[in-house]
Amino acid sequence: MSTVRLPRVIIFDVNETLSDMAPLAARFADVGADEHLFSTWFAGVLRDGFALAVAGTARPFAEVGSGVLQSLLSDASIDRELGDAVDHIMAGLAELEVHPDVVAGVNALAALGVRMITLSNGSASLAQTLLERAGVRSEFESLLSVEDAGRWKPHGDAYRYALEQCGVEPADAMLVAVHPWDIDGAHRAGLSTAWLDRQNRPYPEHFVPADVTAQSLPDVARMLGDR
């Protein structure tokens, strides 16, 4: 922490960092599938999105998510047509809420005078709905999606796209995320990083560690406010 300064711009990941995706598990149960398939599905979505980035391309989150669901549910016992089951689960993304610490943390960071944006592997419209529902949309300068960057995070092009949109150098920006792979990718693109460790889990040693580690977003604001 001694070398970390207050950034000009904070870039937030959205899925699981701001949004609580846990309720999507119930959507699997709604269609007769095992709730534990949610974790398998989300890991599969990230796997395929990362694979496309390595191949030099990208597809929208909704398309990848639906495709992984079709494959996953084709072997599951579901109580409706496959297409209807996929649509029901994917529709849950628009109904997610933010984590309990998000509103207080966003307001605390805004009080520090930091510019804030989002950069999601999902759509900007879902981020818009999420933050409007939480009452904090006005605190964000812009909501960005990797759909416009042409590569999913953690490809460097995704972070460079966000920096270009903000008009800042990498050293002036910080990524806040719950995903160590996102932290590692942002670091390699030259950004400082803050890892939200809400579940008190060990950080993987094969990734570059975060500059800041905190268990809540208000903690991040408190740490940065002391710089």
Side-chain angles (χ1 to χ4, degrees):
M1 280 295 297
S2 59
T3 61
V4 177
R5 59 186 175 84
L6 186 67
R8 291 177 58 193
V9 176
I10 289 182
I11 302 172
F12 285 92
D13 172 55
V14 177
N15 292 330
E16 293 193 307
T17 298
L18 296 179
S19 66
D20 180 1
M21 297 184 72
L24 282 181
R27 291 257 168 175
F28 283 80
D30 289 345
V31 303
D34 192 321
E35 287 190 3
H36 291 95
L37 286 179
F38 162 69
S39 296
T40 303
W41 167 74
F42 190 54
V45 172
L46 294 178
R47 175 203 63 208
D48 287 5
F50 297 170
L52 289 168
V54 171
T57 188
R59 301 303 300 168
F61 185 95
E63 183 178 325
V64 177
S66 295
V68 174
L69 269 178
Q70 288 173 357
S71 177
L72 191 62
L73 295 180
S74 65
D75 294 328
S77 297
I78 55 177
D79 60 11
R80 64 195 74 187
E81 294 293 329
L82 179 59
D84 292 339
V86 169
D87 289 345
H88 177 75
I89 293 171
M90 292 299 294
L93 288 166
E95 298 182 8
L96 298 177
E97 305 282 350
V98 297
H99 286 283
D101 63 306
V102 167
V103 172
V106 166
N107 288 334
L109 288 167
L112 295 176
V114 182
R115 296 165 60 192
M116 291 183 286
I117 70 166
T118 63
L119 177 64
S120 179
N121 280 342
S123 71
S125 62
L126 284 179
Q128 173 99 5
T129 299
L130 176 77
L131 297 174
E132 285 180 347
R133 184 179 294 121
V136 292
R137 170 61 185 91
S138 62
E139 302 295 353
F140 289 83
E141 181 178 302
S142 58
L143 309 178
L144 305 179
S145 170
V146 298
E147 292 179 9
D148 298 312
R151 303 286 187 278
W152 282 34
K153 296 179 297 171
H155 194 286
D157 285 355
Y159 306 104
R160 286 188 283 271
Y161 164 72
L163 295 172
E164 290 169 2
Q165 294 300 304
C166 295
V168 297
E169 296 298 317
D172 294 322
M174 169 179 277
L175 177 85
V176 175
V178 297
H179 305 291
W181 54 260
D182 207 355
I183 296 295
D184 183 86
H187 171 86
R188 295 180 192 281
L191 287 71
S192 61
T193 56
W195 181 45
L196 272 182
D197 179 23
R198 291 191 180 101
Q199 297 179 321
N200 195 27
R201 293 179 174 174
Y203 191 90
E205 293 184 1
H206 51 273
F207 286 136
V208 176
D211 297 296
V212 174
T213 296
Q215 292 187 315
S216 73
L217 200 50
D219 286 341
V220 172
R222 194 156 41 247
M223 291 175 181
L224 293 180
D226 291 336
R227 296 304 91 202

